[in-house]
Amino acid sequence: MSTDTAPHDENHLKVLRLLESDPSLSQRELAEALGVSLGKTNYCVRALLDKGLIKMQNFRNSQNKLGYAYLLTPAGIAAKADLTASFLKIKLREYEALRREIEELRREASAEDPVQ
């Protein structure tokens, strides 16, 4: 995966993480957890299904309604690990850049402070 990870990859990682922790989440619950529309969530879930990263399994809940569980496939588990490693590298670079910027701002603020 390139270091310029697309925004949809970030959504895919979030969905994979959520489904790994709770495979019975509905798409509506996923959308709520992600803070995105139900349509965007459906698009993301469909993409993960098409890529073979998750599979859908039918189950019946206590109210006797048909429901689904979204299970990570072995490819999904591997993709989640790859995406996690990529995002960790990106976030560490962002953190270091922000840390340097904060230090520079502190130096500027203390140099401009007339009460030293």
Side-chain angles (χ1 to χ4, degrees):
M1 176 186 289
S2 74
T3 56
D4 297 321
T5 306
H8 71 272
D9 286 343
E10 185 171 3
N11 286 331
H12 288 183
L13 176 60
K14 288 176 181 177
V15 169
L16 290 170
R17 290 176 72 195
L18 287 166
L19 291 177
E20 184 176 49
S21 66
D22 186 357
S24 67
L25 287 172
S26 69
Q27 287 190 18
R28 189 169 306 281
E29 292 167 328
L30 280 171
E32 214 172 281
L34 295 168
V36 299
S37 71
L38 184 56
K40 185 171 185 174
T41 300
N42 180 269
Y43 180 81
C44 185
V45 168
R46 289 280 162 213
L48 293 172
L49 285 165
D50 291 346
K51 289 180 180 183
L53 303 182
I54 61 174
K55 63 182 178 179
M56 246 183 351
Q57 183 176 33
N58 290 334
F59 71 92
R60 293 194 179 270
N61 65 17
S62 60
Q63 288 95 17
N64 216 12
K65 291 181 181 174
L66 187 62
Y68 297 98
Y70 296 99
L71 305 173
L72 273 64
T73 63
I77 293 168
K80 180 183 163 284
D82 290 345
L83 286 168
T84 300
S86 293
F87 277 102
L88 179 59
K89 288 177 189 174
I90 290 166
K91 296 299 180 186
L92 284 171
R93 280 195 303 271
E94 290 173 358
Y95 167 78
E96 287 301 320
L98 186 58
R99 188 185 59 73
R100 286 190 299 271
E101 185 177 351
I102 289 169
E103 286 303 315
E104 181 62 30
L105 289 169
R106 282 183 177 151
R107 281 193 294 277
E108 287 177 22
S110 66
E112 294 172 4
D113 187 7
V115 184
Q116 295 183 22

PDB file of all heavy atoms in Angstrom, residues 19-41:
ATOM      1  N   LEU A  19     -16.355  -4.148  12.718  1.00  0.00           N
ATOM      2  CA  LEU A  19     -16.952  -5.464  12.500  1.00  0.00           C
ATOM      3  C   LEU A  19     -16.177  -6.569  13.203  1.00  0.00           C
ATOM      4  O   LEU A  19     -16.764  -7.562  13.618  1.00  0.00           O
ATOM      5  CB  LEU A  19     -17.077  -5.756  11.011  1.00  0.00           C
ATOM      6  CG  LEU A  19     -18.105  -4.899  10.270  1.00  0.00           C
ATOM      7  CD1 LEU A  19     -18.099  -5.221   8.789  1.00  0.00           C
ATOM      8  CD2 LEU A  19     -19.496  -5.066  10.869  1.00  0.00           C
ATOM      9  N   GLU A  20     -14.882  -6.395  13.330  1.00  0.00           N
ATOM     10  CA  GLU A  20     -14.094  -7.388  14.057  1.00  0.00           C
ATOM     11  C   GLU A  20     -14.536  -7.422  15.522  1.00  0.00           C
ATOM     12  O   GLU A  20     -14.650  -8.485  16.125  1.00  0.00           O
ATOM     13  CB  GLU A  20     -12.607  -7.082  13.958  1.00  0.00           C
ATOM     14  CG  GLU A  20     -11.737  -8.138  14.606  1.00  0.00           C
ATOM     15  CD  GLU A  20     -10.263  -7.859  14.420  1.00  0.00           C
ATOM     16  OE1 GLU A  20      -9.824  -6.723  14.676  1.00  0.00           O
ATOM     17  OE2 GLU A  20      -9.551  -8.792  14.012  1.00  0.00           O
ATOM     18  N   SER A  21     -14.822  -6.245  16.073  1.00  0.00           N
ATOM     19  CA  SER A  21     -15.219  -6.205  17.484  1.00  0.00           C
ATOM     20  C   SER A  21     -16.684  -6.577  17.687  1.00  0.00           C
ATOM     21  O   SER A  21     -17.050  -7.078  18.746  1.00  0.00           O
ATOM     22  CB  SER A  21     -14.933  -4.829  18.079  1.00  0.00           C
ATOM     23  OG  SER A  21     -15.747  -3.858  17.479  1.00  0.00           O
ATOM     24  N   ASP A  22     -17.535  -6.330  16.656  1.00  0.00           N
ATOM     25  CA  ASP A  22     -18.948  -6.683  16.785  1.00  0.00           C
ATOM     26  C   ASP A  22     -19.531  -7.024  15.410  1.00  0.00           C
ATOM     27  O   ASP A  22     -20.061  -6.146  14.727  1.00  0.00           O
ATOM     28  CB  ASP A  22     -19.741  -5.541  17.420  1.00  0.00           C
ATOM     29  CG  ASP A  22     -21.194  -5.921  17.706  1.00  0.00           C
ATOM     30  OD1 ASP A  22     -21.612  -7.054  17.366  1.00  0.00           O
ATOM     31  OD2 ASP A  22     -21.905  -5.076  18.282  1.00  0.00           O
ATOM     32  N   PRO A  23     -19.441  -8.293  14.997  1.00  0.00           N
ATOM     33  CA  PRO A  23     -19.917  -8.698  13.666  1.00  0.00           C
ATOM     34  C   PRO A  23     -21.415  -8.520  13.449  1.00  0.00           C
ATOM     35  O   PRO A  23     -21.884  -8.506  12.320  1.00  0.00           O
ATOM     36  CB  PRO A  23     -19.566 -10.184  13.595  1.00  0.00           C
ATOM     37  CG  PRO A  23     -18.583 -10.429  14.665  1.00  0.00           C
ATOM     38  CD  PRO A  23     -18.832  -9.399  15.725  1.00  0.00           C
ATOM     39  N   SER A  24     -22.174  -8.353  14.508  1.00  0.00           N
ATOM     40  CA  SER A  24     -23.630  -8.243  14.365  1.00  0.00           C
ATOM     41  C   SER A  24     -24.100  -6.808  14.146  1.00  0.00           C
ATOM     42  O   SER A  24     -25.300  -6.566  14.065  1.00  0.00           O
ATOM     43  CB  SER A  24     -24.326  -8.842  15.584  1.00  0.00           C
ATOM     44  OG  SER A  24     -24.066  -8.051  16.728  1.00  0.00           O
ATOM     45  N   LEU A  25     -23.175  -5.856  14.048  1.00  0.00           N
ATOM     46  CA  LEU A  25     -23.575  -4.471  13.812  1.00  0.00           C
ATOM     47  C   LEU A  25     -24.341  -4.369  12.506  1.00  0.00           C
ATOM     48  O   LEU A  25     -23.951  -4.941  11.492  1.00  0.00           O
ATOM     49  CB  LEU A  25     -22.359  -3.548  13.736  1.00  0.00           C
ATOM     50  CG  LEU A  25     -21.635  -3.224  15.031  1.00  0.00           C
ATOM     51  CD1 LEU A  25     -20.357  -2.456  14.740  1.00  0.00           C
ATOM     52  CD2 LEU A  25     -22.531  -2.441  15.966  1.00  0.00           C
ATOM     53  N   SER A  26     -25.426  -3.616  12.523  1.00  0.00           N
ATOM     54  CA  SER A  26     -26.164  -3.356  11.293  1.00  0.00           C
ATOM     55  C   SER A  26     -25.455  -2.233  10.529  1.00  0.00           C
ATOM     56  O   SER A  26     -24.624  -1.507  11.100  1.00  0.00           O
ATOM     57  CB  SER A  26     -27.592  -2.924  11.620  1.00  0.00           C
ATOM     58  OG  SER A  26     -27.596  -1.640  12.224  1.00  0.00           O
ATOM     59  N   GLN A  27     -25.821  -2.081   9.268  1.00  0.00           N
ATOM     60  CA  GLN A  27     -25.230  -0.986   8.501  1.00  0.00           C
ATOM     61  C   GLN A  27     -25.623   0.365   9.100  1.00  0.00           C
ATOM     62  O   GLN A  27     -24.829   1.301   9.109  1.00  0.00           O
ATOM     63  CB  GLN A  27     -25.632  -1.072   7.031  1.00  0.00           C
ATOM     64  CG  GLN A  27     -24.910  -2.193   6.322  1.00  0.00           C
ATOM     65  CD  GLN A  27     -25.107  -2.153   4.824  1.00  0.00           C
ATOM     66  OE1 GLN A  27     -25.489  -1.142   4.250  1.00  0.00           O
ATOM     67  NE2 GLN A  27     -24.824  -3.279   4.178  1.00  0.00           N
ATOM     68  N   ARG A  28     -26.816   0.453   9.641  1.00  0.00           N
ATOM     69  CA  ARG A  28     -27.256   1.695  10.283  1.00  0.00           C
ATOM     70  C   ARG A  28     -26.378   1.991  11.512  1.00  0.00           C
ATOM     71  O   ARG A  28     -25.959   3.128  11.737  1.00  0.00           O
ATOM     72  CB  ARG A  28     -28.729   1.584  10.690  1.00  0.00           C
ATOM     73  CG  ARG A  28     -29.329   2.885  11.174  1.00  0.00           C
ATOM     74  CD  ARG A  28     -30.838   2.805  11.318  1.00  0.00           C
ATOM     75  NE  ARG A  28     -31.535   2.354  10.142  1.00  0.00           N
ATOM     76  CZ  ARG A  28     -31.815   3.100   9.063  1.00  0.00           C
ATOM     77  NH1 ARG A  28     -31.427   4.353   9.039  1.00  0.00           N
ATOM     78  NH2 ARG A  28     -32.464   2.598   8.037  1.00  0.00           N
ATOM     79  N   GLU A  29     -26.075   0.967  12.295  1.00  0.00           N
ATOM     80  CA  GLU A  29     -25.205   1.151  13.461  1.00  0.00           C
ATOM     81  C   GLU A  29     -23.781   1.491  13.032  1.00  0.00           C
ATOM     82  O   GLU A  29     -23.122   2.321  13.665  1.00  0.00           O
ATOM     83  CB  GLU A  29     -25.214  -0.113  14.322  1.00  0.00           C
ATOM     84  CG  GLU A  29     -26.544  -0.368  15.009  1.00  0.00           C
ATOM     85  CD  GLU A  29     -26.672  -1.757  15.611  1.00  0.00           C
ATOM     86  OE1 GLU A  29     -26.087  -2.726  15.057  1.00  0.00           O
ATOM     87  OE2 GLU A  29     -27.360  -1.880  16.635  1.00  0.00           O
ATOM     88  N   LEU A  30     -23.316   0.861  11.962  1.00  0.00           N
ATOM     89  CA  LEU A  30     -21.992   1.197  11.427  1.00  0.00           C
ATOM     90  C   LEU A  30     -21.951   2.658  10.998  1.00  0.00           C
ATOM     91  O   LEU A  30     -20.993   3.379  11.302  1.00  0.00           O
ATOM     92  CB  LEU A  30     -21.635   0.306  10.233  1.00  0.00           C
ATOM     93  CG  LEU A  30     -21.127  -1.088  10.520  1.00  0.00           C
ATOM     94  CD1 LEU A  30     -21.027  -1.896   9.224  1.00  0.00           C
ATOM     95  CD2 LEU A  30     -19.778  -1.041  11.213  1.00  0.00           C
ATOM     96  N   ALA A  31     -22.978   3.089  10.269  1.00  0.00           N
ATOM     97  CA  ALA A  31     -23.043   4.472   9.795  1.00  0.00           C
ATOM     98  C   ALA A  31     -22.982   5.450  10.964  1.00  0.00           C
ATOM     99  O   ALA A  31     -22.267   6.450  10.921  1.00  0.00           O
ATOM    100  CB  ALA A  31     -24.311   4.687   8.974  1.00  0.00           C
ATOM    101  N   GLU A  32     -23.719   5.129  12.004  1.00  0.00           N
ATOM    102  CA  GLU A  32     -23.724   5.975  13.199  1.00  0.00           C
ATOM    103  C   GLU A  32     -22.339   6.024  13.842  1.00  0.00           C
ATOM    104  O   GLU A  32     -21.845   7.091  14.206  1.00  0.00           O
ATOM    105  CB  GLU A  32     -24.743   5.419  14.190  1.00  0.00           C
ATOM    106  CG  GLU A  32     -25.441   6.475  15.005  1.00  0.00           C
ATOM    107  CD  GLU A  32     -26.568   5.873  15.813  1.00  0.00           C
ATOM    108  OE1 GLU A  32     -27.637   5.629  15.235  1.00  0.00           O
ATOM    109  OE2 GLU A  32     -26.352   5.645  17.023  1.00  0.00           O
ATOM    110  N   ALA A  33     -21.705   4.864  13.987  1.00  0.00           N
ATOM    111  CA  ALA A  33     -20.375   4.797  14.606  1.00  0.00           C
ATOM    112  C   ALA A  33     -19.330   5.526  13.772  1.00  0.00           C
ATOM    113  O   ALA A  33     -18.392   6.109  14.312  1.00  0.00           O
ATOM    114  CB  ALA A  33     -19.966   3.345  14.812  1.00  0.00           C
ATOM    115  N   LEU A  34     -19.482   5.483  12.456  1.00  0.00           N
ATOM    116  CA  LEU A  34     -18.526   6.126  11.560  1.00  0.00           C
ATOM    117  C   LEU A  34     -18.805   7.608  11.365  1.00  0.00           C
ATOM    118  O   LEU A  34     -17.944   8.355  10.912  1.00  0.00           O
ATOM    119  CB  LEU A  34     -18.548   5.438  10.186  1.00  0.00           C
ATOM    120  CG  LEU A  34     -18.084   3.990  10.145  1.00  0.00           C
ATOM    121  CD1 LEU A  34     -18.430   3.361   8.797  1.00  0.00           C
ATOM    122  CD2 LEU A  34     -16.590   3.893  10.419  1.00  0.00           C
ATOM    123  N   GLY A  35     -20.043   8.018  11.642  1.00  0.00           N
ATOM    124  CA  GLY A  35     -20.419   9.405  11.421  1.00  0.00           C
ATOM    125  C   GLY A  35     -20.605   9.727   9.949  1.00  0.00           C
ATOM    126  O   GLY A  35     -20.323  10.845   9.513  1.00  0.00           O
ATOM    127  N   VAL A  36     -21.040   8.721   9.176  1.00  0.00           N
ATOM    128  CA  VAL A  36     -21.276   8.918   7.745  1.00  0.00           C
ATOM    129  C   VAL A  36     -22.690   8.465   7.408  1.00  0.00           C
ATOM    130  O   VAL A  36     -23.383   7.875   8.233  1.00  0.00           O
ATOM    131  CB  VAL A  36     -20.245   8.157   6.864  1.00  0.00           C
ATOM    132  CG1 VAL A  36     -18.823   8.647   7.147  1.00  0.00           C
ATOM    133  CG2 VAL A  36     -20.332   6.652   7.087  1.00  0.00           C
ATOM    134  N   SER A  37     -23.109   8.731   6.170  1.00  0.00           N
ATOM    135  CA  SER A  37     -24.461   8.360   5.758  1.00  0.00           C
ATOM    136  C   SER A  37     -24.595   6.846   5.620  1.00  0.00           C
ATOM    137  O   SER A  37     -23.602   6.127   5.445  1.00  0.00           O
ATOM    138  CB  SER A  37     -24.796   9.016   4.418  1.00  0.00           C
ATOM    139  OG  SER A  37     -24.040   8.408   3.378  1.00  0.00           O
ATOM    140  N   LEU A  38     -25.834   6.399   5.685  1.00  0.00           N
ATOM    141  CA  LEU A  38     -26.127   4.980   5.488  1.00  0.00           C
ATOM    142  C   LEU A  38     -25.720   4.546   4.081  1.00  0.00           C
ATOM    143  O   LEU A  38     -25.186   3.455   3.894  1.00  0.00           O
ATOM    144  CB  LEU A  38     -27.610   4.716   5.743  1.00  0.00           C
ATOM    145  CG  LEU A  38     -28.077   3.273   5.683  1.00  0.00           C
ATOM    146  CD1 LEU A  38     -27.303   2.382   6.644  1.00  0.00           C
ATOM    147  CD2 LEU A  38     -29.577   3.200   5.983  1.00  0.00           C
ATOM    148  N   GLY A  39     -25.927   5.406   3.090  1.00  0.00           N
ATOM    149  CA  GLY A  39     -25.542   5.092   1.716  1.00  0.00           C
ATOM    150  C   GLY A  39     -24.043   4.887   1.567  1.00  0.00           C
ATOM    151  O   GLY A  39     -23.590   3.955   0.898  1.00  0.00           O
ATOM    152  N   LYS A  40     -23.258   5.761   2.206  1.00  0.00           N
ATOM    153  CA  LYS A  40     -21.801   5.628   2.154  1.00  0.00           C
ATOM    154  C   LYS A  40     -21.357   4.348   2.858  1.00  0.00           C
ATOM    155  O   LYS A  40     -20.453   3.653   2.405  1.00  0.00           O
ATOM    156  CB  LYS A  40     -21.136   6.848   2.785  1.00  0.00           C
ATOM    157  CG  LYS A  40     -19.635   6.852   2.666  1.00  0.00           C
ATOM    158  CD  LYS A  40     -19.044   8.171   3.117  1.00  0.00           C
ATOM    159  CE  LYS A  40     -17.562   8.188   2.876  1.00  0.00           C
ATOM    160  NZ  LYS A  40     -16.977   9.499   3.163  1.00  0.00           N
ATOM    161  N   THR A  41     -22.025   4.036   3.952  1.00  0.00           N
ATOM    162  CA  THR A  41     -21.709   2.809   4.677  1.00  0.00           C
ATOM    163  C   THR A  41     -22.025   1.593   3.824  1.00  0.00           C
ATOM    164  O   THR A  41     -21.226   0.654   3.745  1.00  0.00           O
ATOM    165  CB  THR A  41     -22.482   2.756   6.008  1.00  0.00           C
ATOM    166  OG1 THR A  41     -22.112   3.888   6.790  1.00  0.00           O
ATOM    167  CG2 THR A  41     -22.186   1.484   6.773  1.00  0.00           C
TER     168      THR A  41
END
